[in-house]
Amino acid sequence: MGAQKKRAAAAAAAARVSEDPDDLARQPLQAILLADSFTTKFRPITLERPKVLLPLVNVPMINYTLAWLEAAGVAEVFVFCCAHSKQVIDYLENSEWFSQPNFTVKTIESHNIISAGDALRLIYEQNVIHGDFVLISGDTVSNMSLTQALQEHKERKKKDNNAVMTMIIKKSKPSPITRQSRLGTDELFMAIDPNTKQLLYYEDKADHSKGTICLDKMLLAENPSISLHNDKQDCYIDICSPEVLSLFTDNFDYQHLRRHFVKGLLLDDIMGYKIFTHEIHSSYAARIDNYRSYDIVSKDIIQRWTYPYVPDVKFCGNRATKLERRGMYRALEIEQSRSAQVGSFTVIGYGTKIGSNSKISDSVIGEGCTIGSNVLIEGSYIWDNVIIEDGCELRHVIVCDGVIMKAGAVLKPGVVLSFKVVIGERFVVPAYSKVSLLQQPTVHDSDEELEYADNSSGTVEFSSIQGTADQSNGEMTSESSEAHKPKLGTGGVGYIWSICEGGQEEEWRHSVAPIPEDKLTELSEAMDDDQELVTQDRTALSTSGELISDSNASEGDDNEDSKDDSVYFEKEVEATFLRAVEENVKVDHVILEVNSLRLSYNMTSADCAGAVFYSMMKLAIKTPHSSASELQQNTANIITTWQKLLKSYLLEIDEEIEIILKFEEMCLESAKEFSPLFARILHILYDKDILQEDAILRWADEKEGADESDKVFVRQSEKFIQWLREASEEED
Amino acid sequence: MSLSQLMLGPNVVLCNAASQTYPSCNTFTHALSFFNKIEGSQATARQTAELLRSVISQQRVPYTNQAGALIDAVKAIGEQLIAANPVELAVGNIVRRVLHIIREEDLSLTTAAIGGLNLSAVSDDENDDDRDGDSTLSAAAVAAAARSTLRPPSLQTLLEDTPVSAAVPQTSSSGAADKSSRSRKLKHDVIEAVNELIQDIVTCHEQIAEQAVEHIHQNEVILTLGSSRTVLEFLFAAKEKKRSFRVFVAEGAPRYQGHLLAKELVARGLQTTLITDSAVFAMISRVNMVIVGAHAVMANGGVIAPVGMNLVALAAQKHAVPFVVLAGSHKLCPLYPHNPEVLLNELRSPSELLDFGEFSDCMDFGSGSGSPLLHVVNPAFDYVPPKLVSLFITDAGGHNPSYMYRLIADYYSADDLVVQRRATAGN
């Protein structure tokens, strides 16, 4: 019996081993979809409707994500709802997603969650995730195939249990001028191991004013090769192992998926968890993070990069739409005047009416809109049931559901009109302003760290506001226009939100409007300044001794000119010397330090001598002095104190000549105070045995043939040289 | 008033019936979404036929006017199917074929009933014949049946549904006992016929391939573009019959399915040469025959085929090389290609042409006017006009382009050409 049992157990074990890969394959793939971005980029619209339900080319964003998940073979999706959770759940319940045979959608609701980290901790507590899962937010559009990435992830996981996450990335060149990606997000730097595709470094908040990124030296020490990319776009699609959830629980301070979690894992070398990347080439993936990416992803959809998730292919209950020439998408039952001009790459929704002589181009018009005559719409996103009366002008704006624009109103680029706003007759809404029926929340802090807290308070606040807004919707007109200075013209309803201090400069970066000309020129000018900034920055770095070695290391991969090198070298030597003077470091130690610098910069001892001498002279000139004689005295003192240092580099006559040349150069350029004292200091140097008479004579000989202007100092020290010559002759 | 009510009546019933009979509309939407993922006309056609078969078998047939109920049910669903994937014409073709089958079955049953009560034993055989071509039934019998039952003149059916409901009580008077068996019989017959249709779709490759030896001769050079299952089987069939010939395969950019075809051909031991699409004109003078597959064959004999086909057809015409199109009968479409490049084309993702990352700087909308300077157009299909086609080979044999209308008349009834319009009017 016992033996039999054992055999059975062994057989079972064997079976388990052999089945293991099958098991992995058979396990239904799960996904966590965060239906809340935990940011406030889409305000004021998101005060009234959750971001995932905002229409993207006339289909709520979440449908793109769900349709993709279904197509990618995900069996079960947990939709995590937080802000406006009721709206999301209602929408999903009425949609077809709840009744798909091989695709389950479940909602998880919570109201007091303020970050993605909290959401994942909550999901961990619910214990619903059993295997690998896809982590995605509900504003992601993609058409990639998960099969390969999933396969890679599983194989890696099998080999190395610490490979917990595979991040999907995509090549996308950042704009050279704005230093931003196409999607308006910050420039992203990633260091990836080219062989294993392991992610080693992730920086999305690179400080542009500083113009540098810092890599840990260990990174270079431990990895034979690293490729540093700034042309990769993070798609915010992650394939995670279940450990990821427990990691979030263990590190309760992880809030942001990237800023805390990814960076946290990369820095933490105790646990040794690894993140890998999978780059997609032909397929599309992008996340809508701000108004600019909303604009760009919309255009990508219209240009069919997201195929088959395009308006004319039915993928989730979108209305039948036909694609006509030049990228015009038209739904059914559109009333369009003969004289209206609808340009290329435009989407027009079901039942929309367009009046005569109106011009529409590069825009998306929702369902049931009424557009009067002589209206100009350019690059705009107009959602459902909007009424635009005659003669309005809209350029690069977002107009939400139920907005009424009275005749002749003008929206400047970058304007966002939230739900049911009314713009008065012939009113001009200034560029980049946001108009909402709701008042701007008073707490508004652009600081990212505070955004989570801000968000939660914002939603609470909002609900109270909305109550009043709903009640007083009718009387709003008079109320708002009286109470607030920025009116919306006669008959206008809504508040213009004031742009907060910090955001002002950023406004154009994230708006739907293209970057204005003047900003572009400004930026390209700033580019040149940046270049200078970089060099300045290096020198700033070197003043603190500790960073020297670090910057040396990073220097390794730069191809600096030798000239630049010598400049740096000089500065570093000077910094070392000054520190030595301040801290009374022993001469021997200074020699050691300078020697190490010399080695790392690959300099000759002549360079060292020059640099040390330069530093000494600089120190002399900086020491307070009232007259030339006092300066001479100072110099003599310094030379006396540090002669050992200087002498240690004066091995041959060449170095001594170098010093003289250096001194000459200083007197001409940086330290003109020395020029009257040239001959005397030369004498001091001779007296202290720093310079031998041979060196001085040779210098004088060399200068013989030079220009008159070059001979100033030779002539100044003519007597001294004469005396030297005679002395040597006497000796002979 | 009463007339309009009558007109509305059946349609309203239809909608209710449809939504009740199927668990919900959702199995459908699932079917629809599934539809987008199927590639290839044959698979789609088969899927459609199977779906419609289940629709018919689940449809509760009312006491009167069973054929009408079936037709309405099939139409209601057919409309959705066609709307779900308007580019795949095979869907519409199969919906129309099924409608035609229902009409034919009903017709043959009524004629049998008119012919005599004891003829019912014979009617089975008749049905079979009926399906295959038309007619053991004499023309006179058909005409009589059409007049008395389901087949009123087509224009009238388009305008109103009344004659159907009016006509049925007459036939139903022939006996209550007979009717229940008849209703079961109609459904049974229809399902049988649809099964046969599915069988036809499945075996169409073999039936086409059987004719290969008649067309491919010893030491010939055959040119084809892209990849088509039908063409593959056709070439294999000739190879198996010990014909030795060479095949030029144009790669079929941007999807490069020609590469796959070349691989498969080589695996079966055929001498294969792979060329670029742009080399077709240069190579055509050495080619004896062009054999290609099609996406759909239109009523005028024009062909909707993978992009690049028109170029091949023009080259073939220039050098007087026969241009042969292979198409299963499910690809025969009773519609005319008005404005084909817009209405019947599919614009696929630009990523098939170029890598998004490499060109992302050309699509930076942030700077400049906001509209991109680079447009990428990637149509999936070409339209080849009938005058460039030398021969069609279908599972029913070889035909001239000008003969297509006749085949279409055999497969489809004129009343069903406008599946969509009538249904939308009803809604």
Side-chain angles (χ1 to χ4, degrees), chain B residues 146-220:
Chain B
R147 238 176 286 120
S148 62
T149 59
L150 253 180
R151 271 184 123 179
S154 61
L155 188 59
Q156 207 175 341
T157 354
L158 286 180
L159 293 173
E160 49 180 334
D161 234 356
T162 34
V164 178
S165 46
V168 173
Q170 287 182 358
T171 46
S172 67
S173 65
S174 58
D178 176 44
K179 215 165 21 180
S180 65
S181 70
R182 240 200 74 191
S183 73
R184 243 179 284 123
K185 187 154 169 34
L186 173 72
K187 219 164 118 173
H188 174 258
D189 287 351
V190 168
I191 288 170
E192 277 294 295
V194 172
N195 278 337
E196 218 154 295
L197 173 66
I198 293 170
Q199 202 53 42
D200 277 356
I201 294 167
V202 173
T203 60
C204 75
H205 293 320
E206 287 111 77
Q207 285 176 19
I208 294 172
E210 270 172 23
Q211 306 162 51
V213 216
E214 298 163 28
H215 298 281
I216 297 177
H217 306 290
Q218 196 70 15
N219 291 330
E220 273 191 341

Side-chain angles (χ1 to χ4, degrees), chain A residues 99 101 170-173 175 182 281-282 292 296 299 303-305 307 314 323 325 345 362 396 514-515, chain B residues 26 30 36 341-342 346-351 354-358 360 363-366 368 370-372 375:
Chain A
S99 46
K170 180 163 182 51
K171 188 173 177 185
S172 175
K173 293 177 184 167
S175 164
R182 288 168 68 245
H281 291 282
S282 61
R292 174 160 327 276
I296 280 163
K299 280 175 176 152
Q303 299 239 5
R304 308 182 74 80
W305 287 98
Y307 183 92
K314 279 203 170 186
L323 172 60
R325 287 206 174 198
F345 297 105
D362 295 307
H396 307 289
I515 300 163
Chain B
N26 296 310
H30 169 64
N36 289 331
E341 55 278 285
V342 171
E346 185 178 27
L347 290 173
R348 301 180 59 88
S349 170
S351 56
L354 41 87
D355 186 39
F356 186 84
E358 282 303 315
S360 56
M363 282 165 287
D364 188 7
F365 306 108
S371 69
H375 298 167

Side-chain angles (χ1 to χ4, degrees), chain B residues 9-10 16 19 30 34 96 112 121 130 135 143 181 193 210 303 314 331:
Chain B
N16 292 340
S19 52
H30 169 64
F34 190 54
R96 293 186 186 96
D130 205 343
S135 51
S181 70
E210 270 172 23
V303 178
L314 285 166
K331 287 183 178 170

Side-chain angles (χ1 to χ4, degrees), chain A residues 705-719:
Chain A
D707 288 346
E708 277 305 303
S709 58
D710 265 4
K711 283 189 183 167
V712 182
F713 296 109
V714 181
R715 216 164 291 147
Q716 198 186 21
S717 44
E718 211 161 344
K719 272 189 181 169

Side-chain angles (χ1 to χ4, degrees), chain A residues 120-140:
Chain A
L120 292 179
R121 279 186 276 276
L122 189 89
I123 292 170
Y124 180 70
E125 281 163 27
Q126 300 212 344
N127 200 19
V128 285
I129 298 292
H130 309 298
D132 289 346
F133 64 96
V134 180
L135 181 59
I136 190 172
S137 76
D139 44 14
T140 310

